């Protein structure tokens, strides 16, 4: 395994990366808030659901063609 030569462009433009970044706060919220008594059962469920939704979207986006990368021979 090695880093793609154009990894900076991928990090800036790939929707899969954007969806993964969007999932992070919800994953943290679902894990941390119940430990400190600040999260209700509803918030924990909503947070976990949104994290799952964004993670699934990232997985799907990883395999879809994106117009930012269609000029490349090997699409990202």
């Amino acid at each position: 395994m090695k880093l793609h030569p154009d990894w900076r462009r991928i990090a800036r433009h790939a929707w899969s990366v954007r969806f993964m970044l969007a999932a992070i706060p919800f994953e943290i919220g679902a894990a941390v808030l119940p430990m400190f008594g600040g999260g209700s059962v509803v918030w924990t469920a909503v947070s976990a659901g949104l994290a799952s939704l964004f993670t699934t979207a990232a997985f799907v986006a990883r395999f879809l063609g994106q117009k930012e990368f269609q000029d490349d021979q090997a699409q990202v």
Side-chain angles (χ1 to χ4, degrees), residues 23 25-27 29-30 39-54:
F26 297 109
E27 291 176 4
S40 68
V41 175
V42 174
W43 167 246
T44 303
V46 169
S47 184
L50 288 172
S52 298
L53 180 71
F54 281 120

Side-chain angles (χ1 to χ4, degrees), residues 7 19 21 25 34 46 49 51 53 60-62 70 73-74 76:
W7 68 269
F19 285 131
L21 289 173
V46 169
L53 180 71
V60 171
R62 185 65 183 114
Q70 290 193 3
Q73 288 182 5
V76 179

Side-chain angles (χ1 to χ4, degrees), residues 1-2 7 9 11 14-16 18 21 23 39 41 45-46 49 51 55 59:
M1 224 163 87
K2 66 180 186 176
W7 68 269
R9 180 177 174 211
W15 277 99
S16 57
R18 293 174 185 176
L21 289 173
V41 175
V46 169
T55 304
F59 180 78

Side-chain angles (χ1 to χ4, degrees), residues 1-12:
M1 224 163 87
K2 66 180 186 176
L3 208 55
H4 191 279
D6 203 10
W7 68 269
R8 286 187 179 100
R9 180 177 174 211
I10 295 167
R12 280 193 316 269

